[in-house]
Amino acid sequence: MNTSSQSMGYDLIGDVHGCGRSLEKLLIEMGYHKRQGVYHHNKRQAIFVGDIVDRGPHIRKALSIVYDMVNAGSAQLVMGNHEYNVYCHATPHPSRNAYLREHNPHNDRLVAETFEQFANHPNDLKDYLEWFGRLPLFLDMGHFKVVHACWDHFYIREYLKRFKTNCISPEILLESSDTESFVGMMVDRLLRGTDIRLPDEQVIRSRDGFERRFFRAKFWADNPKTYGDVVFQPDPLPDDLFNRPLSEEEKLRLTNYPEDEVPVFFGHYWLQGRPAPIKHNVCCVDYSAVKYDRLVAYRLDNETVLDKEKFSWVYVDPPKTDMSE
Ligand SMILES: [Mn+2]
């Protein structure tokens, strides 16, 4: 892991989700330019928090920009749950007659755009899958940290002890397909965050049409007492659930990010509106680009207290007749 270049600036870029044209606009706006066909910046490096794929109209373009930048050293990418899903959806289990991730209508739907857009480019997809199989799950850069959804000290310490690397591998991905295994639980925690099951078999329907039996919870809540203290998702909880006390068991499932830690950056949570840090050391850079809000970057220098003036963004326009994003 790179801790040597504290003088270099870093641009932490939120979930792209196939908004390839908007990504290009954001990079140009931040002073990146093409050298031998690859975007780079003389004094800065881009760090993508994952979820380049799925949902949006220009997934191939987005992937090729990020892949080329990572290979040239002008960017880094941590794995998002969508890269994980695509990899596991496409990879047969070596000993069972199944894929690493079950094919069913819900799972198929989540990865549909990616496979459709690569239908005529199978070799490119193969290269990207190979790459996904070796991505870092998290980055500890010394003066800041990056993960797709949840920085969990316990899992990350254990992972480093066990595998001596921050990267995933095809072998580890195979193990993770057993959701009860250590790696299965870790991947779920880091890439999807903590969640709490709704009591009494309740179901809420989210705005994107999926039925949810869980709600997403913060990993930075201090001493939370109720569901309302930890809920962190675009869909609000009904009042009775919002005020419901957390059980001791539910509290144990949560994790916490200490106030005195270095800043942590992540995506995943579909924020909207004008970007701002969540806390002085906690920053989500996912502002719902693919739902026509903003593709956002936090431009980090050496500050330890994050500043709401240090975001850059481009608005993502709804499609017109020419299919622009
Ligand atoms: Mn996402």
Side-chain angles (χ1 to χ4, degrees):
M1 277 172 266
N2 178 8
T3 55
S4 63
S5 43
Q6 289 219 5
S7 59
M8 191 188 226
Y10 293 93
D11 297 315
L12 288 300
I13 300 179
D15 303 32
V16 176
H17 279 307
C19 296
R21 290 188 183 174
S22 299
L23 173 58
E24 201 154 43
K25 258 173 41 191
L26 178 66
L27 289 170
I28 292 167
E29 196 147 297
M30 293 196 299
Y32 286 73
H33 53 265
K34 271 190 172 173
R35 193 170 63 193
Q36 290 167 342
V38 184
Y39 282 101
H40 89 122
H41 194 294
N42 289 337
K43 299 198 179 86
R44 307 185 68 83
Q45 189 184 49
I47 300 190
F48 293 91
V49 300
D51 282 8
I52 307 301
V53 298
D54 291 342
R55 299 185 192 266
H58 301 116
I59 296 166
R60 287 174 47 232
K61 182 180 181 74
L63 269 179
S64 99
I65 291 171
V66 177
Y67 181 79
D68 289 347
M69 287 178 77
V70 171
N71 276 338
S74 65
Q76 301 190 57
L77 165 67
V78 298
M79 184 179 245
N81 57 313
H82 284 263
E83 281 77 44
Y84 179 83
N85 290 349
V86 164
Y87 178 93
C88 291
H89 207 90
T91 305
H93 194 287
S95 56
R96 286 182 225 142
N97 184 21
Y99 290 86
L100 295 192
R101 186 169 156 91
E102 191 192 337
H103 289 196
N104 61 38
H106 174 85
N107 289 351
D108 296 351
R109 172 77 202 86
L110 282 173
V111 294
E113 286 87 1
T114 297
F115 289 110
E116 275 162 25
Q117 291 172 35
F118 276 99
N120 296 322
H121 306 271
N123 291 331
D124 292 351
L125 181 62
K126 226 176 118 216
D127 290 346
Y128 291 132
L129 289 170
E130 169 88 12
W131 179 45
F132 293 168
R134 307 194 177 277
L135 286 175
L137 275 173
F138 54 89
L139 292 173
D140 186 342
M141 301 291 289
H143 62 306
F144 67 101
K145 301 178 192 293
V146 188
V147 69
H148 182 65
C150 173
W151 191 278
D152 185 305
H153 291 280
F154 165 76
Y155 277 112
I156 288 172
R157 246 194 322 266
E158 284 300 306
Y159 190 88
L160 287 171
K161 220 192 282 174
R162 194 162 148 186
F163 298 110
K164 318 269 184 261
T165 169
N166 60 335
C167 291
I168 205 104
S169 68
E171 298 71 36
I172 297 172
L173 281 159
L174 173 60
E175 186 180 334
S176 77
S177 67
D178 172 3
T179 53
E180 308 284 298
S181 67
F182 167 76
V183 202
M185 290 191 292
M186 164 158 181
V187 161
D188 190 57
R189 175 58 64 100
L190 268 58
L191 304 193
R192 300 193 186 96
T194 50
D195 49 30
I196 293 178
R197 178 178 272 278
L198 296 168
D200 317 319
E201 303 289 306
Q202 289 190 50
V203 177
I204 40 181
R205 186 176 283 276
S206 65
R207 279 191 271 180
D208 53 4
F210 290 106
E211 286 193 343
R212 309 271 186 208
R213 289 165 196 284
F214 295 83
F215 67 88
R216 288 179 172 181
K218 298 169 187 178
F219 68 88
W220 56 88
D222 288 322
N223 196 18
K225 298 194 170 55
T226 63
Y227 282 12
D229 290 339
V230 293
V231 64
F232 194 67
Q233 61 180 19
D235 302 298
L237 288 178
D239 285 350
D240 57 319
L241 288 178
F242 192 88
N243 295 317
R244 186 185 167 101
L246 287 159
S247 69
E248 288 311 308
E249 202 192 331
E250 285 165 341
K251 283 184 193 167
L252 281 177
R253 278 183 42 78
L254 296 169
T255 180
N256 181 252
Y257 196 79
E259 296 271 341
D260 57 359
E261 260 292 357
V262 299
V264 60
F265 295 91
F266 50 94
H268 193 63
Y269 294 95
W270 299 110
L271 301 190
Q272 289 178 314
R274 191 188 168 88
I278 292 168
K279 283 170 91 164
H280 73 89
N281 63 343
V282 174
C283 185
C284 176
V285 284
D286 175 23
Y287 279 79
S288 307
V290 74
K291 292 180 184 168
Y292 313 120
D293 204 310
R294 301 164 215 224
L295 182 63
V296 163
Y298 184 91
R299 312 204 73 188
L300 180 73
D301 296 296
N302 288 322
E303 70 270 29
T304 51
V305 173
L306 301 179
D307 178 352
K308 70 178 189 338
E309 302 305 325
K310 296 198 70 179
F311 289 90
S312 283
W313 62 80
V314 293
Y315 290 96
V316 181
D317 298 323
K320 302 185 190 96
T321 44
D322 66 348
M323 281 294 292
S324 64
E325 291 153 16

Coordinates of all heavy atoms in Angstrom, one line a residue, residues 15 17 51 81-82 148 268 270 286, ligand 1:
D15 N -19.4 6.6 -7.2 CA -19.9 5.5 -8.1 C -20.2 6.0 -9.5 O -21.1 6.9 -9.6 CB -21.2 4.9 -7.5 CG -21.0 4.4 -6.1 OD1 -20.2 4.9 -5.3 OD2 -21.8 3.4 -5.7
H17 N -21.2 4.0 -12.3 CA -22.3 3.2 -12.8 C -22.6 3.5 -14.3 O -23.7 3.8 -14.6 CB -23.6 3.5 -11.9 CG -23.6 2.7 -10.7 ND1 -23.5 1.4 -10.6 CD2 -23.8 3.1 -9.4 CE1 -23.5 1.0 -9.4 NE2 -23.7 2.0 -8.6
D51 N -17.9 0.5 -8.1 CA -19.2 0.6 -8.9 C -19.0 1.4 -10.1 O -19.7 2.4 -10.3 CB -20.3 1.1 -8.0 CG -20.9 0.0 -7.1 OD1 -20.3 -1.1 -7.0 OD2 -21.9 0.3 -6.5
N81 N -19.5 -3.4 -4.8 CA -20.4 -4.6 -4.8 C -20.8 -4.9 -6.3 O -21.1 -6.1 -6.6 CB -21.6 -4.4 -3.9 CG -22.5 -3.2 -4.2 OD1 -22.0 -2.1 -4.4 ND2 -23.8 -3.4 -4.2
H82 N -20.9 -3.9 -7.2 CA -21.3 -4.3 -8.5 C -20.2 -5.0 -9.3 O -20.5 -5.8 -10.1 CB -21.8 -3.0 -9.2 CG -23.2 -2.7 -8.8 ND1 -24.3 -3.0 -9.4 CD2 -23.6 -2.0 -7.6 CE1 -25.4 -2.6 -8.8 NE2 -25.0 -2.0 -7.7
H148 N -15.5 0.6 -0.4 CA -16.7 0.9 -1.2 C -17.9 1.3 -0.3 O -18.6 2.3 -0.5 CB -17.2 -0.3 -2.1 CG -18.4 0.1 -2.9 ND1 -18.4 1.1 -3.8 CD2 -19.7 -0.4 -2.8 CE1 -19.6 1.2 -4.3 NE2 -20.4 0.3 -3.7
H268 N -21.5 4.1 -2.6 CA -22.6 3.1 -2.2 C -23.9 3.7 -1.8 O -24.9 3.0 -2.0 CB -22.0 2.2 -1.1 CG -22.9 1.0 -0.9 ND1 -23.1 0.0 -1.9 CD2 -23.6 0.5 0.1 CE1 -23.8 -0.9 -1.5 NE2 -24.2 -0.7 -0.2
W270 N -26.1 6.4 -2.4 CA -27.1 7.2 -3.2 C -27.5 8.5 -2.5 O -28.6 8.8 -2.3 CB -28.4 6.4 -3.3 CG -28.3 5.1 -4.0 CD1 -28.4 3.8 -3.5 CD2 -28.1 4.9 -5.4 NE1 -28.3 2.9 -4.5 CE2 -28.1 3.5 -5.7 CE3 -27.9 5.7 -6.5 CZ2 -27.9 2.9 -6.9 CZ3 -27.8 5.2 -7.8 CH2 -27.8 3.8 -8.0
D286 N -20.8 9.2 -3.2 CA -21.8 8.7 -4.2 C -23.0 9.7 -4.1 O -23.7 9.7 -3.1 CB -22.2 7.3 -3.8 CG -23.4 6.8 -4.7 OD1 -23.6 7.4 -5.8 OD2 -24.1 5.9 -4.3
Ligands
MN1 MN -23.3 2.0 -6.3

